């Protein structure tokens, strides 16, 4: 599966990604981790990224996209991947879309992890990472003494807990603001594409994992989070635009159709989804409008003529 986990800093993308890795055997691709690794190595890109990261700003798209492009070219992504922390703004989302189309590997699901602002602040300020194995803990959910009782798999010693330099209160506030401004619009984007699944990401970590797995199952079945093409606002707009164009061509017939089209939008989605044009001429308000127009034009109502043809061909009328 090719998955994007979308959520504010502290929403648990990293923790849940690690669980998906273990469960599904697909790699986690975290731009935060890639950037931290580049920083640690002291590469020119890493040093450039450092300044933005320490201030809680987004690193330049160019740098992040270069890293993603390289990472997606590695063989272990052939079975799928979990993108954690990427994309983070609209430009990155569009670039990802283009890149995945090029690779012939479109996304299967985007899961938004929903957490309250106050809870995010609490989680981030309590977050500690083992400097050796990279495991993430939270002092609020797991007391330090308990964590210290565990052995680090890398060193065999107790975990060496450190706080990320960008987890200070001021930086966190800025990161949350950046999330609101730059990343949140992606929720709408993926919802419009019928890709979005949202889960409540508060509460017990195992329960959140179960919700996430459910969301992924739903996405792979194409329901219920995935909207059908005809239900998408973009598709609706296309249908409405077609109707308006038809209306402009045939002034008498068009006026009746456009009016019915507007009414059809508020009607049953399921029934009208695949056949918006037919619905438009069959509905009662269309007949009324057509009658009015036809009366003025001095001829037989359009809706009646259209309906007559349909009845004659044996099609059921609503
Ligand atoms: P969090 O999601 O908790 O903010 P991350 O480890 O994902 O933590 O990111 C840490 C920092 O790395 C971000 O504040 C930002 O500076 C940088 N970063 C990570 N991913 C991106 C990205 N896709 N685009 C730009 N900057 C990024």
């Amino acid at each position: 599966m090719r998955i994007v986990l979308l959520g504010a800093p502290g929403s648990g993308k990293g923790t849940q990604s690690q669980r998906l890795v273990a469960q599904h055997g697909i790699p986690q691709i975290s731009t935060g981790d890639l950037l931290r690794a580049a920083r640690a190595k002291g590469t020119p890109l890493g040093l450039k990224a450092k300044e933005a990261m320490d201030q809680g700003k987004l690193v330049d798209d160019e740098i992040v996209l270069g890293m993603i492009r390289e990472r997606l070219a590695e063989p272990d992504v052939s079975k799928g991947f979990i993108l954690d922390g990427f994309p983070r703004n609209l430009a990155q989302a569009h670039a990802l879309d283009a890149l995945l189309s090029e690779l012939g590997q479109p996304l299967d699901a985007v899961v938004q992890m929903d957490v309250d602002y106050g809870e995010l602040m609490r989680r981030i300020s309590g977050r500690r990472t083992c400097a050796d194995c990279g495991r993430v803990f939270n002092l609020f959910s797991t007391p330090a003494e308990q964590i210290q009782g565990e052995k680090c798999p890398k060193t065999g010693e107790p975990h060496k807990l450190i706080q990320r330099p960008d987890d200070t209160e001021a930086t966190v506030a800025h990161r949350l603001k950046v999330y609101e401004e730059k990343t949140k619009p992606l929720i709408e984007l993926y919802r419009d594409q019928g890709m979005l699944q949202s889960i409540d990401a508060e509460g017990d970590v195992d329960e959140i994992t179960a919700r996430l797995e459910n969301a992924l199952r739903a996405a792979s079945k194409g329901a219920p989070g995935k909207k059908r093409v005809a239900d998408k606002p973009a598709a609706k707009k296309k249908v409405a635009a077609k109707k308006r164009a038809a209306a402009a061509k045939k002034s008498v017939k068009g006026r009746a159709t456009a009016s019915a089209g507007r009414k059809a939008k508020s009607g049953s989605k399921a029934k009208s989804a695949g056949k918006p044009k037919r619905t438009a001429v069959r509905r009662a308000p269309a007949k009324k409008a057509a009658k009015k127009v036809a009366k003025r034009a001095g001829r037989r109502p359009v809706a009646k003529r259209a309906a007559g043809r349909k009845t004659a061909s044996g099609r059921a009328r609503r």
Side-chain angles (χ1 to χ4, degrees):
M1 273 199 115
R2 292 176 288 273
I3 306 161
V4 165
L5 290 187
L6 202 58
S11 58
K13 301 183 299 286
T15 304
Q16 294 300 332
S17 291
Q18 286 171 6
R19 288 170 165 234
L20 292 179
V21 169
Q23 185 63 28
H24 299 274
I26 50 175
Q28 166 196 15
I29 302 178
S30 153
T31 38
D33 287 349
L34 291 174
L35 288 165
R36 276 184 288 275
R39 267 178 79 151
K41 276 190 201 153
T43 65
L45 280 189
L47 294 176
K48 215 174 155 197
K50 181 181 183 305
E51 206 181 315
M53 292 173 82
D54 287 347
Q55 292 172 18
K57 293 180 181 166
L58 291 187
V59 173
D60 281 353
D61 287 347
E62 211 184 305
I63 295 179
V64 177
L65 285 169
M67 286 178 158
I68 283 287
R69 215 170 276 128
E70 265 181 28
R71 184 64 186 87
L72 289 178
E74 286 176 32
D76 65 335
V77 300
S78 61
K79 276 203 286 177
F81 50 77
I82 307 145
L83 286 175
D84 155 14
F86 180 89
R88 239 170 160 103
N89 60 26
L90 286 168
Q92 291 182 7
H94 295 312
L96 174 67
D97 199 28
L99 182 58
L100 293 180
S101 304
E102 216 175 89
L103 298 172
Q105 298 192 328
L107 289 175
D108 295 303
V110 176
V111 183
Q112 182 220 348
M113 303 182 52
D114 202 21
V115 177
D116 262 8
Y117 187 89
E119 171 68 9
L120 290 173
M121 283 301 255
R122 200 181 73 94
R123 284 188 189 179
I124 300 176
S125 58
R127 179 156 71 185
R128 298 292 183 276
T129 311
C130 174
D132 297 310
C133 71
R135 205 172 134 194
V136 178
F137 298 92
N138 197 294
L139 298 183
F140 293 110
S141 46
T142 318
E145 308 78 62
Q146 191 184 322
I147 301 167
Q148 289 302 330
E150 277 184 32
K151 295 271 188 283
C152 167
K154 277 266 171 79
T155 62
E157 299 289 318
H159 290 288
K160 195 167 132 202
L161 296 188
I162 53 161
Q163 184 175 32
R164 262 169 51 176
D166 58 345
D167 275 353
T168 59
E169 218 168 287
T171 315
V172 169
H174 189 72
R175 279 158 62 200
L176 291 173
K177 191 164 162 258
V178 169
Y179 173 77
E180 285 288 321
E181 288 173 9
K182 312 262 181 182
T183 314
K184 243 184 167 178
L186 301 189
I187 295 175
E188 211 52 48
L189 175 83
Y190 289 120
R191 183 178 288 134
D192 285 353
Q193 291 179 4
M195 296 291 300
L196 192 78
Q197 302 278 338
S198 286
I199 60 163
D200 174 2
E202 288 188 42
D204 182 73
V205 182
D206 289 339
E207 273 172 28
I208 299 168
T209 306
R211 285 177 213 144
L212 178 56
E213 292 286 2
N214 277 340
L216 294 176
R217 265 192 294 279
S220 70
K221 285 181 192 154
K226 278 195 177 180
K227 294 179 188 176
R228 288 161 304 140
V229 173
D231 284 346
K232 288 190 218 169
K236 277 188 182 174
K237 274 180 203 158
K238 261 189 189 169
V239 170
K242 271 187 185 172
K243 280 178 194 159
R244 278 196 298 276
K249 270 187 192 165
K250 301 173 189 175
S251 63
V252 174
K253 190 172 180 177
R255 275 153 86 175
T257 309
S259 153
R262 278 192 300 276
K263 293 281 179 189
K265 264 178 125 182
S266 60
S268 153
K269 274 182 197 167
K271 285 189 178 172
S272 63
K275 326 166 182 171
K277 278 183 190 159
R278 266 180 218 134
T279 310
V281 280
R282 265 191 266 145
R283 290 180 76 83
K287 281 197 284 178
K288 262 191 192 170
K291 249 185 194 170
K292 249 188 191 173
V293 174
K295 204 174 166 192
R296 253 183 267 144
R299 56 193 182 88
R300 214 174 146 214
V302 170
K304 217 168 205 172
R305 280 185 279 138
R309 275 199 302 277
K310 284 186 171 46
T311 312
S313 69
R315 210 168 262 145
R317 291 184 58 195
R318 275 195 283 165

